[in-house]
Amino acid sequence: MLPRQKQLLCFLFCFGLILFSQPIRSRDHVDLHLKWIHQFQFAGYYTALEKGFYKEVGLDVTIHESKHGIEGLHQYVSEKEARYGVGTNEVLLQWHAGNPIVVIAVIFQHSPTVLFTKRIHENQSIQDLLGKKIMLSPHVYEILAFLKKEKFDSNHFKAIPHSFRFLDLVEGKVAALDGYSTTQTYEFKKLGFPVVVFSPRTAGIDFYGDNLFTSQIEIQTNPNRVKRFREASLRGWSYAMKNKSEIVDLIYQKYSKNITKEQLLFEADEMESLVQPNLVEIGYMYEGRWKHIADVYSDFGMLPKNLNLTGFLYNPNPKPDYGLLVSIFVSVFGFLLVVWVFQKYRWNVKYAENLKREVFNRTEELKVSNDNLHSTNKILELKLRELKDAQSKLLTSEKLATIGNVTAEMAHELNHPFDLISSTNIDIGDFLKKQLNPIIEQLVLFSSEDRERFFLLINGYRNMQIEVLSEKEERELKNDSKIKLFSILQKEEGTIEEDFLVLLIDSLAYTLEGKLKWVLESANHIKILELGTKIANVYRSYFIISHASEKSTQVVKTIKKYLPSDGGSPSKGP
């Protein structure tokens, strides 16, 4: 081979090394900024750092806690390379506002944000907060959307800025406040303060929680570092959720002695159902869920309808881009072609044979390259199937959670009428065993006129509809009955003894109106009214059982609508 030809081949070899080689670096320094103070909420990142997962992939990571929430976090991360952040779903608003950021992983498949209120009675609902003071954090749009869906307009409750002092609810300064189910629930339990927790998920508002994001410039200039940081972080999360006690000790020793181990372990256990590490691959995110979140923001006029999310979500397994490789190959091939044309008139037969041999070698290299590309495509197809399986598991878990909520609510609806039927049945049994014979014996002793008075009183019960009333309605009925009795007896308030007045009401004697005076003329009118009260109580028990049975039947019919029929689909009729 001629010296000039050797020089040319050396030049081409060095040119290829410059194009395809990557510089060998020392460990890259990365800053991770949290959205709150150190606690188990960020356990995966502490684990990746302390267990050396970051170090293994060539990263030197510094974790920064925040005591001022997410204010300014998104802009700070977007300004420079090697910056990462843990944010809320507001990252979507910040991205649409122009902050060049990209979400690379989701840790919480369900947001821990809920609404707390004091437990007052068993049938408590969100509607009990109408007209009350509710303390809300800034940007807590999932709670606002929840209230809006429950028909709470801005004039139906008084919104108060969050003091982040949860004793305000205990002290009665507010009727409700938002917080995290993973942390504030522990504080209320420790105080022994009974609370009711309302989750936006019960109204179909299902946000993500704790999103890991970085800047677009980091994605573009350091794609390999983004991939390494993401994989090491998710590896840390997987280890943390499988070894909670160990990581609780680590956090307590190195990051936060202000929080007890008991509280950290409580937080870890509560996170299990929100992260769902056994059902969904940690870090998984679905574009459809993000579109659901965008639609909620759109309802508040904060985002346009049908927002295009291109560029917002990171794809950890992108398809290879062969454009650069093809361009380089075409350039090199063109360069060789020009050289070959320039030199062909000077080459002799021997040089032509060498050229043929070189073409053959290049052809073999292309065959190997094609085989590698085919293997890469097979791997990508496998990853796509895994992603579809993960999506199917997530949808199944959400359906199971919804069925569980419906079943719990139906069970609660059945407990009350069954309790009424049971307690009322006891009252009827007591009447039959202990009170019926004494009533019959007393009637035998009455005169015929007193018996006529007694039967006049109880015959009115047959055509009377005795309603099952609430405590408030019962008080109002008794007040109305008192006014009616004073009118019938032509007495003024205070002239009838309270015990006798109660007896007239409980026996329903006030329904006799003008005939009541004839009953009261009897010397035995007290005994007549007492016996009538016992009979009236039996009628009341009858109507309570009828009302409770009807309500139970309605609940059962409702349950059957949700249960699968023989064909596997929910029943369409009762």
Side-chain angles (χ1 to χ4, degrees):
M1 187 176 290
L2 299 176
R4 294 184 62 182
Q5 294 170 348
K6 291 182 179 180
Q7 291 177 359
L8 178 60
L9 291 175
C10 289
F11 170 76
L12 293 175
F13 179 74
C14 294
F15 180 69
L17 286 178
I18 294 173
L19 288 175
F20 293 103
S21 63
Q22 293 185 355
I24 300 175
R25 302 180 180 177
S26 59
R27 282 195 291 160
D28 294 342
H29 181 77
V30 170
D31 289 299
L32 174 63
H33 296 268
L34 308 180
K35 68 177 183 178
W36 198 235
I37 60 175
H38 292 310
Q39 53 189 10
F40 198 90
Q41 181 180 356
F42 312 109
Y45 309 114
Y46 310 136
T47 304
L49 179 61
E50 302 298 336
K51 290 292 180 181
F53 299 159
Y54 288 134
K55 185 177 180 180
E56 289 177 12
V57 295
L59 297 177
D60 176 22
V61 178
T62 301
I63 301 176
H64 306 272
E65 71 174 341
S66 171
K67 296 184 179 179
H68 304 287
I70 61 173
E71 296 299 330
L73 174 61
H74 306 92
Q75 182 177 353
Y76 180 77
V77 170
S78 68
E79 291 174 345
K80 193 176 180 182
E81 300 176 31
R83 290 180 179 174
Y84 295 76
V86 179
T88 64
N89 294 289
E90 192 182 357
V91 67
L92 180 59
L93 299 177
Q94 294 290 334
W95 171 76
H96 182 260
N99 272 328
I101 50 181
V102 179
V103 175
I104 64 174
V106 166
I107 305 304
F108 285 60
Q109 292 298 319
H110 302 292
S111 171
T113 301
V114 295
L115 196 65
F116 293 100
T117 186
K118 182 179 180 181
R119 178 177 292 279
I120 299 175
H121 56 81
E122 291 184 358
N123 299 324
Q124 204 163 339
S125 72
I126 190 70
Q127 300 300 322
D128 293 333
L129 298 178
L130 282 170
K132 304 293 181 62
K133 293 180 180 179
I134 302 178
M135 185 179 288
L136 298 175
S137 305
H139 318 298
V140 64
Y141 295 106
E142 55 192 302
I143 295 296
L144 293 175
F146 175 43
L147 294 175
K148 183 178 180 181
K149 197 160 187 179
E150 294 292 341
K151 311 302 182 185
F152 276 67
D153 293 331
S154 57
N155 58 345
H156 286 166
F157 68 96
K158 185 176 181 181
I160 299 176
H162 213 302
S163 66
F164 299 101
R165 181 179 179 273
F166 292 92
L167 287 177
D168 287 347
L169 177 61
V170 178
E171 295 170 356
K173 295 181 180 180
V174 293
L177 49 77
D178 72 88
Y180 269 21
S181 61
T182 53
T183 53
Q184 276 72 57
T185 305
Y186 174 84
E187 297 176 13
F188 288 127
K189 284 186 177 181
K190 188 175 181 181
L191 291 173
F193 183 73
V195 293
V196 177
V197 180
F198 296 112
S199 171
R201 277 195 286 162
T202 61
I205 300 169
D206 195 1
F207 276 26
Y208 282 131
D210 281 20
N211 308 298
L212 183 61
F213 68 97
T214 188
S215 62
Q216 288 183 1
I217 189 173
E218 175 74 357
I219 295 284
Q220 294 166 0
T221 59
N222 300 284
N224 182 260
R225 183 165 63 197
V226 174
K227 184 177 181 180
R228 286 182 288 139
F229 179 80
R230 180 182 183 274
E231 290 177 352
S233 298
L234 298 184
R235 182 183 172 192
W237 270 110
S238 179
Y239 186 94
M241 296 306 295
K242 292 177 182 176
N243 302 274
K244 297 175 187 174
S245 297
E246 176 188 346
I247 303 307
V248 162
D249 291 337
L250 185 151
I251 295 173
Y252 182 76
Q253 293 296 332
K254 288 196 173 185
Y255 291 91
S256 181
K257 284 187 175 291
N258 295 327
I259 304 177
T260 65
K261 290 184 180 180
E262 180 186 11
Q263 184 171 353
L264 289 170
L265 191 57
F266 178 88
E267 181 183 8
D269 290 337
E270 290 294 310
M271 283 172 54
E272 185 79 23
S273 62
L274 302 177
V275 177
Q276 295 188 328
N278 297 324
L279 296 176
V280 182
E281 182 182 4
I282 297 179
Y284 172 78
M285 54 185 175
Y286 174 49
E287 185 176 352
R289 282 278 298 280
W290 278 111
K291 288 184 177 179
H292 161 72
I293 296 170
D295 290 341
V296 173
Y297 284 129
S298 178
D299 290 341
F300 285 93
M302 304 176 70
L303 289 177
K305 289 285 186 181
N306 301 319
L307 180 65
N308 187 346
L309 299 179
T310 302
F312 173 64
L313 302 177
Y314 172 74
N315 183 2
N317 298 298
K319 294 183 178 180
D321 183 7
Y322 302 113
L324 179 61
L325 181 61
V326 172
S327 298
I328 293 172
F329 176 79
V330 171
S331 299
V332 171
F333 184 79
F335 178 76
L336 291 174
L337 183 61
V338 171
V339 172
W340 179 80
V341 171
F342 181 75
Q343 295 289 342
K344 71 176 181 176
Y345 294 106
R346 303 173 60 185
W347 289 347
N348 54 27
V349 177
K350 185 177 179 179
Y351 185 76
E353 292 176 355
N354 291 336
L355 181 60
K356 289 180 180 179
R357 190 180 299 111
E358 186 69 20
V359 170
F360 175 79
N361 293 335
R362 295 291 182 181
T363 303
E364 291 299 317
E365 291 177 1
L366 286 175
K367 288 182 179 179
V368 173
S369 177
N370 286 333
D371 291 340
N372 291 336
L373 291 177
H374 181 72
S375 298
T376 303
N377 285 333
K378 290 293 184 181
I379 294 173
L380 290 175
E381 290 175 359
L382 178 61
K383 291 296 182 182
L384 181 59
R385 287 197 295 270
E386 291 176 353
L387 286 174
K388 289 182 178 179
D389 291 342
Q391 178 183 347
S392 176
K393 290 179 181 178
L394 178 60
L395 292 175
T396 301
S397 68
E398 291 175 346
K399 290 179 181 178
L400 291 175
T402 302
I403 292 174
N405 291 336
V406 171
T407 304
E409 291 174 3
M410 292 301 182
H412 176 74
E413 289 294 325
L414 285 172
N415 281 338
H416 181 64
F418 285 164
D419 290 343
L420 285 176
I421 292 173
S422 177
S423 61
T424 306
N425 185 57
I426 292 174
D427 294 338
I428 294 176
D430 181 75
F431 171 82
L432 294 174
K433 294 178 181 178
K434 300 180 180 180
Q435 300 180 27
L436 181 59
N437 288 338
I439 291 175
I440 296 173
E441 293 171 0
Q442 187 65 50
L443 287 176
V444 172
L445 298 177
F446 280 169
S447 64
S448 61
E449 189 173 11
D450 282 346
R451 283 196 295 272
E452 184 177 354
R453 288 185 175 96
F454 173 77
F455 287 115
L456 172 66
L457 176 62
I458 67 173
N459 284 338
Y461 301 158
R462 298 177 180 177
N463 301 322
M464 189 179 301
Q465 289 292 330
I466 302 176
E467 299 180 356
V468 180
L469 304 176
S470 64
E471 293 181 1
K472 181 179 179 181
E473 292 173 337
E474 190 173 347
R475 287 196 301 270
E476 293 175 352
L477 177 61
K478 287 186 177 181
N479 290 334
D480 293 340
S481 301
K482 288 180 182 180
I483 295 173
K484 191 172 183 179
L485 281 170
F486 290 135
S487 175
I488 294 172
L489 300 177
Q490 297 180 352
K491 299 286 186 177
E492 294 182 0
E493 188 173 355
T495 59
I496 302 176
E497 292 183 4
E498 186 65 25
D499 292 343
F500 182 63
L501 188 62
V502 171
L503 183 60
L504 289 172
I505 293 172
D506 290 343
S507 64
L508 304 178
Y510 63 90
T511 61
L512 296 176
E513 298 185 350
K515 298 178 182 180
L516 176 60
K517 291 185 178 180
W518 180 64
V519 174
L520 298 180
E521 288 175 0
S522 170
N524 292 320
H525 67 273
I526 295 296
K527 293 183 178 179
I528 292 172
L529 293 176
E530 289 176 346
L531 296 180
T533 298
K534 295 178 180 180
I535 300 299
N537 287 337
V538 175
Y539 273 91
R540 287 190 184 94
S541 299
Y542 163 75
F543 281 106
I544 288 173
I545 291 175
S546 298
H547 176 77
S549 298
E550 181 179 355
K551 185 174 182 180
S552 300
T553 301
Q554 292 174 352
V555 173
V556 171
K557 288 180 178 180
T558 303
I559 293 175
K560 290 178 67 178
K561 292 179 180 179
Y562 290 94
L563 292 176
S565 63
D566 293 339
S569 59
S571 177
K572 299 296 182 181

